[in-house]
């Protein structure tokens, strides 16, 4: 791992205990300029992960607690008349930052969800005929509690596709939970991060380096074969879209870069596939009788799709 990325990872680990794989996925999303959906039960550190990344990266950070009464203008901002000049002035919303934590996205109304996802896609906000470009890098980390249904608005599958990756924290082990208790005994663990580990300019430079990672035709065809398999099975009513194949391609490059390689191996693709594609798929009634979730089906697909033996470097 690059020294700058290792420093960033170490900084996040001052807050998050024992979730190296999750942190690596989030760093891959950051390197690709993608947005992350953190989906898990309450209290496992979803918000802490997003806040520790923002604090470690040194960019501007906004958090918005999404509830049914939040308005789209709270996300995008609004124009109002300056009482001194009598001219319209833009007042930025929560999205005008480098890192936006959208807490409990499934509690926001469909209008707010649509406004947020439009900002994620366009990286700009247009109000009253004026376009306001978001600062770079820009990353949304949205959290969602999958066990609650009361007072929530299900995020449509077409909008789930806008998230580059979905990750799950999972429960800690007994040893990890003991460390968590020790860290939280005297203060909020976020106070352990006293300074930024990396600048936004360094992040942008790393994002450019990831783009130059080489992907052979064999690996590209391997990616497309995995995606095609999700579209041809009767176990799914919705397979991966071209946006999904692009995301898998980019994520594989980031995974290789995090492993200090300038070329992608099939193992990089296999490692990242579940996080990139599972949330984009919908099991058919037949698929639901055989598989617990789409991730389980994806794991089977990966065992069936031929792996290229040689890749040009």
């Amino acid at each position: 791992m690059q020294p700058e990325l290792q420093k960033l990872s170490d900084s996040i680990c001052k807050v998050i205990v024992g979730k190296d794989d999750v942190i690596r996925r989030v760093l891959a999303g950051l390197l690709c300029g993608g947005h992350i959906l953190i989906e898990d039960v309450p209290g496992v550190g979803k918000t802490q992960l997003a806040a520790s990344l923002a604090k470690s990266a040194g960019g501007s950070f906004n958090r918005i607690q999404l509830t049914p009464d939040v308005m789209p203008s709270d996300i995008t901002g609004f124009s109002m008349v300056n009482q001194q000049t009598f001219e319209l002035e833009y007042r930025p919303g929560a999205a005008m930052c480098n890192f936006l934590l959208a807490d409990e996205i499934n509690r926001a109304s469909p209008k707010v969800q649509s406004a947020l996802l439009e900002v994620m896609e366009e990286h700009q906000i247009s109000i009253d005929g004026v376009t306001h470009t978001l600062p770079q890098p820009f990353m949304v980390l949205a959290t969602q509690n999958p066990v609650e249904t009361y007072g929530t608005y299900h995020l449509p599958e077409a909008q789930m596709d806008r998230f580059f990756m979905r990750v799950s924290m999972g429960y800690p082990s007994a040893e990890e939970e003991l460390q968590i208790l020790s860290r939280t005994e005297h203060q909020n663990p976020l106070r352990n991060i006293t300074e930024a580990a990396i600048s936004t300019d360094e992040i942008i430079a790393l994002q450019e380096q990831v783009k130059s990672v080489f992907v052979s035709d064999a690996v590209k065809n391997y990616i497309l074969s995995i995606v095609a398999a999700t579209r041809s099975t009767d176990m799914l009513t919705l397979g991966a879209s071209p946006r999904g194949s692009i995301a898998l391609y980019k994520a594989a490059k980031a995974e290789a870069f995090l492993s200090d390689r300038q070329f992608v191996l099939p193992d990089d693709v296999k490692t990242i596939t579940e996080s990139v594609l599972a949330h984009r798929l919908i099991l058919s009634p037949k698929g639901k009788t055989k598989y617990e979730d789409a991730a389980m089906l994806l794991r089977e697909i990966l065992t069936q799709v031929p792996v290229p033996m040689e890749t040009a470097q």
Side-chain angles (χ1 to χ4, degrees), residues 9 12-13 16-29 36-40 44-46 49-50 53 139 141 165-170 258 272 275:
S9 177
I12 297 172
C13 286
I16 304 299
V17 177
K19 299 298 177 185
D20 294 342
D21 288 345
V22 177
I23 293 172
R24 188 180 177 94
R25 297 288 181 276
V26 172
L27 293 182
I36 306 291
L37 177 63
I38 310 171
E39 186 177 85
D40 216 320
V44 293
K46 301 186 296 294
L49 173 61
L53 170 65
M139 185 180 195
L141 296 112
M165 200 179 293
R166 181 181 65 183
V167 299
S168 178
M169 300 291 289
L258 287 166
I272 210 77
S275 296

PDB file of all heavy atoms in Angstrom, residues 9 12-13 16-29 36-40 44-46 49-50 53 139 141 165-170 258 272 275:
ATOM      1  N   SER A   9      -5.050   4.838   6.371  1.00  0.00           N
ATOM      2  CA  SER A   9      -5.643   3.643   6.966  1.00  0.00           C
ATOM      3  C   SER A   9      -5.321   3.556   8.462  1.00  0.00           C
ATOM      4  O   SER A   9      -6.200   3.252   9.279  1.00  0.00           O
ATOM      5  CB  SER A   9      -5.123   2.396   6.248  1.00  0.00           C
ATOM      6  OG  SER A   9      -5.633   1.228   6.838  1.00  0.00           O
ATOM      7  N   ILE A  12      -7.514   5.950  10.434  1.00  0.00           N
ATOM      8  CA  ILE A  12      -8.886   5.447  10.614  1.00  0.00           C
ATOM      9  C   ILE A  12      -8.921   4.354  11.676  1.00  0.00           C
ATOM     10  O   ILE A  12      -9.865   4.264  12.463  1.00  0.00           O
ATOM     11  CB  ILE A  12      -9.444   4.923   9.274  1.00  0.00           C
ATOM     12  CG1 ILE A  12      -9.544   6.061   8.251  1.00  0.00           C
ATOM     13  CG2 ILE A  12     -10.817   4.282   9.467  1.00  0.00           C
ATOM     14  CD1 ILE A  12      -9.895   5.609   6.851  1.00  0.00           C
ATOM     15  N   CYS A  13      -7.855   3.546  11.728  1.00  0.00           N
ATOM     16  CA  CYS A  13      -7.784   2.452  12.704  1.00  0.00           C
ATOM     17  C   CYS A  13      -7.644   2.954  14.140  1.00  0.00           C
ATOM     18  O   CYS A  13      -7.785   2.160  15.082  1.00  0.00           O
ATOM     19  CB  CYS A  13      -6.631   1.515  12.368  1.00  0.00           C
ATOM     20  SG  CYS A  13      -6.943   0.459  10.929  1.00  0.00           S
ATOM     21  N   ILE A  16     -11.639   2.905  14.362  1.00  0.00           N
ATOM     22  CA  ILE A  16     -12.299   1.653  13.993  1.00  0.00           C
ATOM     23  C   ILE A  16     -11.392   0.470  14.328  1.00  0.00           C
ATOM     24  O   ILE A  16     -10.244   0.423  13.894  1.00  0.00           O
ATOM     25  CB  ILE A  16     -12.651   1.638  12.489  1.00  0.00           C
ATOM     26  CG1 ILE A  16     -13.507   2.863  12.128  1.00  0.00           C
ATOM     27  CG2 ILE A  16     -13.369   0.356  12.128  1.00  0.00           C
ATOM     28  CD1 ILE A  16     -14.832   2.932  12.852  1.00  0.00           C
ATOM     29  N   VAL A  17     -11.924  -0.491  15.056  1.00  0.00           N
ATOM     30  CA  VAL A  17     -11.146  -1.641  15.514  1.00  0.00           C
ATOM     31  C   VAL A  17     -11.439  -2.869  14.658  1.00  0.00           C
ATOM     32  O   VAL A  17     -12.602  -3.256  14.480  1.00  0.00           O
ATOM     33  CB  VAL A  17     -11.460  -1.962  16.996  1.00  0.00           C
ATOM     34  CG1 VAL A  17     -10.706  -3.210  17.454  1.00  0.00           C
ATOM     35  CG2 VAL A  17     -11.118  -0.781  17.889  1.00  0.00           C
ATOM     36  N   GLY A  18     -10.377  -3.460  14.102  1.00  0.00           N
ATOM     37  CA  GLY A  18     -10.483  -4.773  13.491  1.00  0.00           C
ATOM     38  C   GLY A  18     -11.296  -4.902  12.225  1.00  0.00           C
ATOM     39  O   GLY A  18     -11.778  -5.995  11.915  1.00  0.00           O
ATOM     40  N   LYS A  19     -11.474  -3.836  11.470  1.00  0.00           N
ATOM     41  CA  LYS A  19     -12.263  -3.895  10.236  1.00  0.00           C
ATOM     42  C   LYS A  19     -11.397  -3.517   9.041  1.00  0.00           C
ATOM     43  O   LYS A  19     -11.746  -2.675   8.221  1.00  0.00           O
ATOM     44  CB  LYS A  19     -13.476  -2.968  10.336  1.00  0.00           C
ATOM     45  CG  LYS A  19     -14.433  -3.314  11.465  1.00  0.00           C
ATOM     46  CD  LYS A  19     -15.040  -4.698  11.285  1.00  0.00           C
ATOM     47  CE  LYS A  19     -15.942  -5.083  12.446  1.00  0.00           C
ATOM     48  NZ  LYS A  19     -16.436  -6.456  12.341  1.00  0.00           N
ATOM     49  N   ASP A  20     -10.241  -4.166   8.927  1.00  0.00           N
ATOM     50  CA  ASP A  20      -9.279  -3.829   7.878  1.00  0.00           C
ATOM     51  C   ASP A  20      -9.867  -3.994   6.484  1.00  0.00           C
ATOM     52  O   ASP A  20      -9.608  -3.181   5.587  1.00  0.00           O
ATOM     53  CB  ASP A  20      -8.021  -4.684   8.020  1.00  0.00           C
ATOM     54  CG  ASP A  20      -7.249  -4.386   9.301  1.00  0.00           C
ATOM     55  OD1 ASP A  20      -7.490  -3.307   9.890  1.00  0.00           O
ATOM     56  OD2 ASP A  20      -6.430  -5.221   9.722  1.00  0.00           O
ATOM     57  N   ASP A  21     -10.645  -5.063   6.266  1.00  0.00           N
ATOM     58  CA  ASP A  21     -11.230  -5.305   4.944  1.00  0.00           C
ATOM     59  C   ASP A  21     -12.226  -4.202   4.582  1.00  0.00           C
ATOM     60  O   ASP A  21     -12.278  -3.753   3.433  1.00  0.00           O
ATOM     61  CB  ASP A  21     -11.927  -6.664   4.906  1.00  0.00           C
ATOM     62  CG  ASP A  21     -10.938  -7.822   4.906  1.00  0.00           C
ATOM     63  OD1 ASP A  21      -9.747  -7.570   4.652  1.00  0.00           O
ATOM     64  OD2 ASP A  21     -11.357  -8.968   5.160  1.00  0.00           O
ATOM     65  N   VAL A  22     -13.029  -3.785   5.542  1.00  0.00           N
ATOM     66  CA  VAL A  22     -14.010  -2.728   5.296  1.00  0.00           C
ATOM     67  C   VAL A  22     -13.300  -1.416   4.981  1.00  0.00           C
ATOM     68  O   VAL A  22     -13.676  -0.700   4.046  1.00  0.00           O
ATOM     69  CB  VAL A  22     -14.945  -2.555   6.513  1.00  0.00           C
ATOM     70  CG1 VAL A  22     -15.912  -1.395   6.284  1.00  0.00           C
ATOM     71  CG2 VAL A  22     -15.711  -3.837   6.783  1.00  0.00           C
ATOM     72  N   ILE A  23     -12.268  -1.100   5.757  1.00  0.00           N
ATOM     73  CA  ILE A  23     -11.503   0.131   5.524  1.00  0.00           C
ATOM     74  C   ILE A  23     -10.870   0.100   4.136  1.00  0.00           C
ATOM     75  O   ILE A  23     -10.867   1.103   3.415  1.00  0.00           O
ATOM     76  CB  ILE A  23     -10.428   0.313   6.611  1.00  0.00           C
ATOM     77  CG1 ILE A  23     -11.090   0.582   7.967  1.00  0.00           C
ATOM     78  CG2 ILE A  23      -9.478   1.461   6.258  1.00  0.00           C
ATOM     79  CD1 ILE A  23     -10.136   0.586   9.140  1.00  0.00           C
ATOM     80  N   ARG A  24     -10.368  -1.056   3.740  1.00  0.00           N
ATOM     81  CA  ARG A  24      -9.759  -1.191   2.411  1.00  0.00           C
ATOM     82  C   ARG A  24     -10.792  -0.940   1.314  1.00  0.00           C
ATOM     83  O   ARG A  24     -10.495  -0.290   0.308  1.00  0.00           O
ATOM     84  CB  ARG A  24      -9.152  -2.593   2.278  1.00  0.00           C
ATOM     85  CG  ARG A  24      -8.314  -2.807   1.016  1.00  0.00           C
ATOM     86  CD  ARG A  24      -7.764  -4.219   1.000  1.00  0.00           C
ATOM     87  NE  ARG A  24      -7.009  -4.509  -0.205  1.00  0.00           N
ATOM     88  CZ  ARG A  24      -5.694  -4.380  -0.335  1.00  0.00           C
ATOM     89  NH1 ARG A  24      -4.974  -3.953   0.681  1.00  0.00           N
ATOM     90  NH2 ARG A  24      -5.083  -4.686  -1.473  1.00  0.00           N
ATOM     91  N   ARG A  25     -12.021  -1.440   1.502  1.00  0.00           N
ATOM     92  CA  ARG A  25     -13.083  -1.197   0.520  1.00  0.00           C
ATOM     93  C   ARG A  25     -13.395   0.299   0.424  1.00  0.00           C
ATOM     94  O   ARG A  25     -13.601   0.832  -0.672  1.00  0.00           O
ATOM     95  CB  ARG A  25     -14.356  -1.948   0.911  1.00  0.00           C
ATOM     96  CG  ARG A  25     -14.243  -3.453   0.944  1.00  0.00           C
ATOM     97  CD  ARG A  25     -14.142  -4.058  -0.449  1.00  0.00           C
ATOM     98  NE  ARG A  25     -14.066  -5.504  -0.357  1.00  0.00           N
ATOM     99  CZ  ARG A  25     -12.941  -6.196  -0.142  1.00  0.00           C
ATOM    100  NH1 ARG A  25     -11.800  -5.545  -0.012  1.00  0.00           N
ATOM    101  NH2 ARG A  25     -12.945  -7.512  -0.081  1.00  0.00           N
ATOM    102  N   VAL A  26     -13.460   0.953   1.559  1.00  0.00           N
ATOM    103  CA  VAL A  26     -13.754   2.388   1.565  1.00  0.00           C
ATOM    104  C   VAL A  26     -12.639   3.171   0.877  1.00  0.00           C
ATOM    105  O   VAL A  26     -12.903   4.108   0.112  1.00  0.00           O
ATOM    106  CB  VAL A  26     -13.972   2.895   3.005  1.00  0.00           C
ATOM    107  CG1 VAL A  26     -14.080   4.414   3.040  1.00  0.00           C
ATOM    108  CG2 VAL A  26     -15.233   2.270   3.609  1.00  0.00           C
ATOM    109  N   LEU A  27     -11.402   2.763   1.105  1.00  0.00           N
ATOM    110  CA  LEU A  27     -10.276   3.425   0.432  1.00  0.00           C
ATOM    111  C   LEU A  27     -10.337   3.191  -1.072  1.00  0.00           C
ATOM    112  O   LEU A  27     -10.031   4.101  -1.861  1.00  0.00           O
ATOM    113  CB  LEU A  27      -8.942   2.908   0.986  1.00  0.00           C
ATOM    114  CG  LEU A  27      -8.606   3.258   2.432  1.00  0.00           C
ATOM    115  CD1 LEU A  27      -7.229   2.710   2.815  1.00  0.00           C
ATOM    116  CD2 LEU A  27      -8.650   4.763   2.667  1.00  0.00           C
ATOM    117  N   ALA A  28     -10.753   2.004  -1.484  1.00  0.00           N
ATOM    118  CA  ALA A  28     -10.915   1.725  -2.921  1.00  0.00           C
ATOM    119  C   ALA A  28     -11.981   2.638  -3.518  1.00  0.00           C
ATOM    120  O   ALA A  28     -11.813   3.175  -4.619  1.00  0.00           O
ATOM    121  CB  ALA A  28     -11.284   0.257  -3.142  1.00  0.00           C
ATOM    122  N   GLY A  29     -13.077   2.824  -2.799  1.00  0.00           N
ATOM    123  CA  GLY A  29     -14.116   3.736  -3.259  1.00  0.00           C
ATOM    124  C   GLY A  29     -13.618   5.160  -3.366  1.00  0.00           C
ATOM    125  O   GLY A  29     -13.924   5.875  -4.332  1.00  0.00           O
ATOM    126  N   ILE A  36     -20.143   5.317  -1.137  1.00  0.00           N
ATOM    127  CA  ILE A  36     -20.258   4.074  -0.386  1.00  0.00           C
ATOM    128  C   ILE A  36     -21.553   4.037   0.404  1.00  0.00           C
ATOM    129  O   ILE A  36     -21.918   5.013   1.073  1.00  0.00           O
ATOM    130  CB  ILE A  36     -19.068   3.920   0.597  1.00  0.00           C
ATOM    131  CG1 ILE A  36     -17.726   4.059  -0.135  1.00  0.00           C
ATOM    132  CG2 ILE A  36     -19.158   2.597   1.334  1.00  0.00           C
ATOM    133  CD1 ILE A  36     -17.390   2.938  -1.061  1.00  0.00           C
ATOM    134  N   LEU A  37     -22.239   2.905   0.337  1.00  0.00           N
ATOM    135  CA  LEU A  37     -23.402   2.649   1.180  1.00  0.00           C
ATOM    136  C   LEU A  37     -22.957   1.682   2.276  1.00  0.00           C
ATOM    137  O   LEU A  37     -22.530   0.564   1.992  1.00  0.00           O
ATOM    138  CB  LEU A  37     -24.544   2.031   0.366  1.00  0.00           C
ATOM    139  CG  LEU A  37     -25.807   1.660   1.160  1.00  0.00           C
ATOM    140  CD1 LEU A  37     -26.453   2.902   1.767  1.00  0.00           C
ATOM    141  CD2 LEU A  37     -26.807   0.925   0.273  1.00  0.00           C
ATOM    142  N   ILE A  38     -23.046   2.144   3.525  1.00  0.00           N
ATOM    143  CA  ILE A  38     -22.666   1.313   4.668  1.00  0.00           C
ATOM    144  C   ILE A  38     -23.953   0.797   5.292  1.00  0.00           C
ATOM    145  O   ILE A  38     -24.705   1.557   5.893  1.00  0.00           O
ATOM    146  CB  ILE A  38     -21.838   2.111   5.700  1.00  0.00           C
ATOM    147  CG1 ILE A  38     -20.689   2.855   5.020  1.00  0.00           C
ATOM    148  CG2 ILE A  38     -21.291   1.188   6.782  1.00  0.00           C
ATOM    149  CD1 ILE A  38     -19.960   3.839   5.920  1.00  0.00           C
ATOM    150  N   GLU A  39     -24.202  -0.487   5.124  1.00  0.00           N
ATOM    151  CA  GLU A  39     -25.474  -1.068   5.554  1.00  0.00           C
ATOM    152  C   GLU A  39     -25.234  -2.108   6.641  1.00  0.00           C
ATOM    153  O   GLU A  39     -24.528  -3.094   6.426  1.00  0.00           O
ATOM    154  CB  GLU A  39     -26.178  -1.712   4.350  1.00  0.00           C
ATOM    155  CG  GLU A  39     -27.573  -2.226   4.654  1.00  0.00           C
ATOM    156  CD  GLU A  39     -28.250  -2.789   3.429  1.00  0.00           C
ATOM    157  OE1 GLU A  39     -28.027  -3.978   3.121  1.00  0.00           O
ATOM    158  OE2 GLU A  39     -28.970  -2.042   2.755  1.00  0.00           O
ATOM    159  N   ASP A  40     -25.798  -1.854   7.807  1.00  0.00           N
ATOM    160  CA  ASP A  40     -25.650  -2.810   8.905  1.00  0.00           C
ATOM    161  C   ASP A  40     -26.565  -2.416  10.050  1.00  0.00           C
ATOM    162  O   ASP A  40     -27.192  -1.353  10.023  1.00  0.00           O
ATOM    163  CB  ASP A  40     -24.195  -2.877   9.387  1.00  0.00           C
ATOM    164  CG  ASP A  40     -23.794  -4.293   9.794  1.00  0.00           C
ATOM    165  OD1 ASP A  40     -24.626  -4.977  10.424  1.00  0.00           O
ATOM    166  OD2 ASP A  40     -22.662  -4.709   9.486  1.00  0.00           O
ATOM    167  N   VAL A  44     -22.737  -0.583  15.236  1.00  0.00           N
ATOM    168  CA  VAL A  44     -21.522  -1.321  14.890  1.00  0.00           C
ATOM    169  C   VAL A  44     -20.421  -0.414  14.324  1.00  0.00           C
ATOM    170  O   VAL A  44     -19.362  -0.900  13.928  1.00  0.00           O
ATOM    171  CB  VAL A  44     -21.819  -2.465  13.895  1.00  0.00           C
ATOM    172  CG1 VAL A  44     -22.662  -3.535  14.554  1.00  0.00           C
ATOM    173  CG2 VAL A  44     -22.499  -1.948  12.632  1.00  0.00           C
ATOM    174  N   GLY A  45     -20.676   0.895  14.258  1.00  0.00           N
ATOM    175  CA  GLY A  45     -19.615   1.827  13.862  1.00  0.00           C
ATOM    176  C   GLY A  45     -19.741   2.417  12.480  1.00  0.00           C
ATOM    177  O   GLY A  45     -18.756   2.937  11.935  1.00  0.00           O
ATOM    178  N   LYS A  46     -20.937   2.406  11.888  1.00  0.00           N
ATOM    179  CA  LYS A  46     -21.113   2.950  10.534  1.00  0.00           C
ATOM    180  C   LYS A  46     -20.776   4.440  10.498  1.00  0.00           C
ATOM    181  O   LYS A  46     -20.000   4.905   9.649  1.00  0.00           O
ATOM    182  CB  LYS A  46     -22.559   2.739  10.054  1.00  0.00           C
ATOM    183  CG  LYS A  46     -23.017   1.292  10.014  1.00  0.00           C
ATOM    184  CD  LYS A  46     -24.383   1.130   9.392  1.00  0.00           C
ATOM    185  CE  LYS A  46     -25.499   1.803  10.170  1.00  0.00           C
ATOM    186  NZ  LYS A  46     -25.722   1.176  11.486  1.00  0.00           N
ATOM    187  N   LEU A  49     -17.066   5.205  11.166  1.00  0.00           N
ATOM    188  CA  LEU A  49     -16.207   4.937  10.010  1.00  0.00           C
ATOM    189  C   LEU A  49     -16.191   6.128   9.066  1.00  0.00           C
ATOM    190  O   LEU A  49     -15.122   6.577   8.624  1.00  0.00           O
ATOM    191  CB  LEU A  49     -16.696   3.683   9.280  1.00  0.00           C
ATOM    192  CG  LEU A  49     -16.006   3.352   7.950  1.00  0.00           C
ATOM    193  CD1 LEU A  49     -14.522   3.099   8.157  1.00  0.00           C
ATOM    194  CD2 LEU A  49     -16.669   2.150   7.281  1.00  0.00           C
ATOM    195  N   ALA A  50     -17.370   6.656   8.749  1.00  0.00           N
ATOM    196  CA  ALA A  50     -17.452   7.794   7.836  1.00  0.00           C
ATOM    197  C   ALA A  50     -16.780   9.023   8.424  1.00  0.00           C
ATOM    198  O   ALA A  50     -16.018   9.730   7.744  1.00  0.00           O
ATOM    199  CB  ALA A  50     -18.914   8.090   7.520  1.00  0.00           C
ATOM    200  N   LEU A  53     -12.905   8.712   8.466  1.00  0.00           N
ATOM    201  CA  LEU A  53     -12.322   8.910   7.134  1.00  0.00           C
ATOM    202  C   LEU A  53     -12.227  10.396   6.819  1.00  0.00           C
ATOM    203  O   LEU A  53     -11.180  10.882   6.380  1.00  0.00           O
ATOM    204  CB  LEU A  53     -13.156   8.201   6.075  1.00  0.00           C
ATOM    205  CG  LEU A  53     -12.796   8.526   4.619  1.00  0.00           C
ATOM    206  CD1 LEU A  53     -11.398   8.031   4.285  1.00  0.00           C
ATOM    207  CD2 LEU A  53     -13.815   7.942   3.647  1.00  0.00           C
ATOM    208  N   MET A 139     -17.263  12.822  -1.920  1.00  0.00           N
ATOM    209  CA  MET A 139     -17.645  11.441  -1.604  1.00  0.00           C
ATOM    210  C   MET A 139     -18.814  11.440  -0.629  1.00  0.00           C
ATOM    211  O   MET A 139     -18.799  12.165   0.371  1.00  0.00           O
ATOM    212  CB  MET A 139     -16.454  10.693  -0.996  1.00  0.00           C
ATOM    213  CG  MET A 139     -16.689   9.216  -0.731  1.00  0.00           C
ATOM    214  SD  MET A 139     -15.209   8.445  -0.016  1.00  0.00           S
ATOM    215  CE  MET A 139     -15.593   6.711  -0.239  1.00  0.00           C
ATOM    216  N   LEU A 141     -20.918   9.098   1.946  1.00  0.00           N
ATOM    217  CA  LEU A 141     -20.972   7.855   2.707  1.00  0.00           C
ATOM    218  C   LEU A 141     -22.343   7.813   3.367  1.00  0.00           C
ATOM    219  O   LEU A 141     -22.621   8.582   4.289  1.00  0.00           O
ATOM    220  CB  LEU A 141     -19.858   7.795   3.751  1.00  0.00           C
ATOM    221  CG  LEU A 141     -18.445   7.784   3.143  1.00  0.00           C
ATOM    222  CD1 LEU A 141     -17.730   9.081   3.476  1.00  0.00           C
ATOM    223  CD2 LEU A 141     -17.649   6.599   3.646  1.00  0.00           C
ATOM    224  N   MET A 165     -20.261   1.126  -4.187  1.00  0.00           N
ATOM    225  CA  MET A 165     -19.978  -0.069  -3.408  1.00  0.00           C
ATOM    226  C   MET A 165     -20.866  -0.098  -2.165  1.00  0.00           C
ATOM    227  O   MET A 165     -21.231   0.954  -1.642  1.00  0.00           O
ATOM    228  CB  MET A 165     -18.498  -0.056  -2.994  1.00  0.00           C
ATOM    229  CG  MET A 165     -17.901  -1.377  -2.591  1.00  0.00           C
ATOM    230  SD  MET A 165     -16.147  -1.184  -2.151  1.00  0.00           S
ATOM    231  CE  MET A 165     -15.431  -0.740  -3.739  1.00  0.00           C
ATOM    232  N   ARG A 166     -21.203  -1.284  -1.724  1.00  0.00           N
ATOM    233  CA  ARG A 166     -21.909  -1.442  -0.450  1.00  0.00           C
ATOM    234  C   ARG A 166     -21.049  -2.298   0.467  1.00  0.00           C
ATOM    235  O   ARG A 166     -20.547  -3.347   0.060  1.00  0.00           O
ATOM    236  CB  ARG A 166     -23.270  -2.111  -0.640  1.00  0.00           C
ATOM    237  CG  ARG A 166     -24.058  -2.261   0.673  1.00  0.00           C
ATOM    238  CD  ARG A 166     -25.385  -2.956   0.463  1.00  0.00           C
ATOM    239  NE  ARG A 166     -25.208  -4.339   0.025  1.00  0.00           N
ATOM    240  CZ  ARG A 166     -26.222  -5.153  -0.279  1.00  0.00           C
ATOM    241  NH1 ARG A 166     -27.465  -4.725  -0.217  1.00  0.00           N
ATOM    242  NH2 ARG A 166     -25.981  -6.392  -0.672  1.00  0.00           N
ATOM    243  N   VAL A 167     -20.882  -1.840   1.701  1.00  0.00           N
ATOM    244  CA  VAL A 167     -20.087  -2.592   2.669  1.00  0.00           C
ATOM    245  C   VAL A 167     -20.906  -2.813   3.929  1.00  0.00           C
ATOM    246  O   VAL A 167     -21.886  -2.112   4.190  1.00  0.00           O
ATOM    247  CB  VAL A 167     -18.764  -1.873   3.019  1.00  0.00           C
ATOM    248  CG1 VAL A 167     -17.899  -1.693   1.789  1.00  0.00           C
ATOM    249  CG2 VAL A 167     -19.037  -0.523   3.681  1.00  0.00           C
ATOM    250  N   SER A 168     -20.501  -3.804   4.698  1.00  0.00           N
ATOM    251  CA  SER A 168     -21.163  -4.115   5.957  1.00  0.00           C
ATOM    252  C   SER A 168     -20.103  -4.249   7.038  1.00  0.00           C
ATOM    253  O   SER A 168     -19.069  -4.900   6.819  1.00  0.00           O
ATOM    254  CB  SER A 168     -21.961  -5.419   5.814  1.00  0.00           C
ATOM    255  OG  SER A 168     -22.575  -5.770   7.031  1.00  0.00           O
ATOM    256  N   MET A 169     -20.339  -3.645   8.186  1.00  0.00           N
ATOM    257  CA  MET A 169     -19.350  -3.651   9.265  1.00  0.00           C
ATOM    258  C   MET A 169     -19.275  -5.016   9.947  1.00  0.00           C
ATOM    259  O   MET A 169     -18.193  -5.550  10.174  1.00  0.00           O
ATOM    260  CB  MET A 169     -19.698  -2.579  10.309  1.00  0.00           C
ATOM    261  CG  MET A 169     -19.743  -1.163   9.773  1.00  0.00           C
ATOM    262  SD  MET A 169     -18.120  -0.528   9.314  1.00  0.00           S
ATOM    263  CE  MET A 169     -17.373  -0.317  10.920  1.00  0.00           C
ATOM    264  N   GLY A 170     -20.412  -5.567  10.303  1.00  0.00           N
ATOM    265  CA  GLY A 170     -20.425  -6.833  11.039  1.00  0.00           C
ATOM    266  C   GLY A 170     -20.100  -6.633  12.512  1.00  0.00           C
ATOM    267  O   GLY A 170     -19.552  -5.602  12.925  1.00  0.00           O
ATOM    268  N   LEU A 258      -3.905  -0.735  -4.354  1.00  0.00           N
ATOM    269  CA  LEU A 258      -3.748  -0.898  -2.906  1.00  0.00           C
ATOM    270  C   LEU A 258      -2.785  -2.033  -2.575  1.00  0.00           C
ATOM    271  O   LEU A 258      -2.237  -2.088  -1.466  1.00  0.00           O
ATOM    272  CB  LEU A 258      -5.112  -1.163  -2.254  1.00  0.00           C
ATOM    273  CG  LEU A 258      -6.046   0.049  -2.167  1.00  0.00           C
ATOM    274  CD1 LEU A 258      -7.465  -0.391  -1.824  1.00  0.00           C
ATOM    275  CD2 LEU A 258      -5.535   1.053  -1.137  1.00  0.00           C
ATOM    276  N   ILE A 272     -13.226  -8.058  -5.068  1.00  0.00           N
ATOM    277  CA  ILE A 272     -14.051  -6.849  -4.959  1.00  0.00           C
ATOM    278  C   ILE A 272     -15.463  -7.040  -5.506  1.00  0.00           C
ATOM    279  O   ILE A 272     -16.344  -6.195  -5.281  1.00  0.00           O
ATOM    280  CB  ILE A 272     -13.339  -5.674  -5.690  1.00  0.00           C
ATOM    281  CG1 ILE A 272     -13.664  -4.335  -5.057  1.00  0.00           C
ATOM    282  CG2 ILE A 272     -13.616  -5.689  -7.178  1.00  0.00           C
ATOM    283  CD1 ILE A 272     -12.928  -4.073  -3.778  1.00  0.00           C
ATOM    284  N   SER A 275     -18.767  -6.727  -3.118  1.00  0.00           N
ATOM    285  CA  SER A 275     -19.034  -5.371  -2.615  1.00  0.00           C
ATOM    286  C   SER A 275     -19.542  -4.448  -3.711  1.00  0.00           C
ATOM    287  O   SER A 275     -20.334  -3.540  -3.451  1.00  0.00           O
ATOM    288  CB  SER A 275     -17.755  -4.782  -1.998  1.00  0.00           C
ATOM    289  OG  SER A 275     -17.343  -5.517  -0.878  1.00  0.00           O
TER     290      SER A 275
END
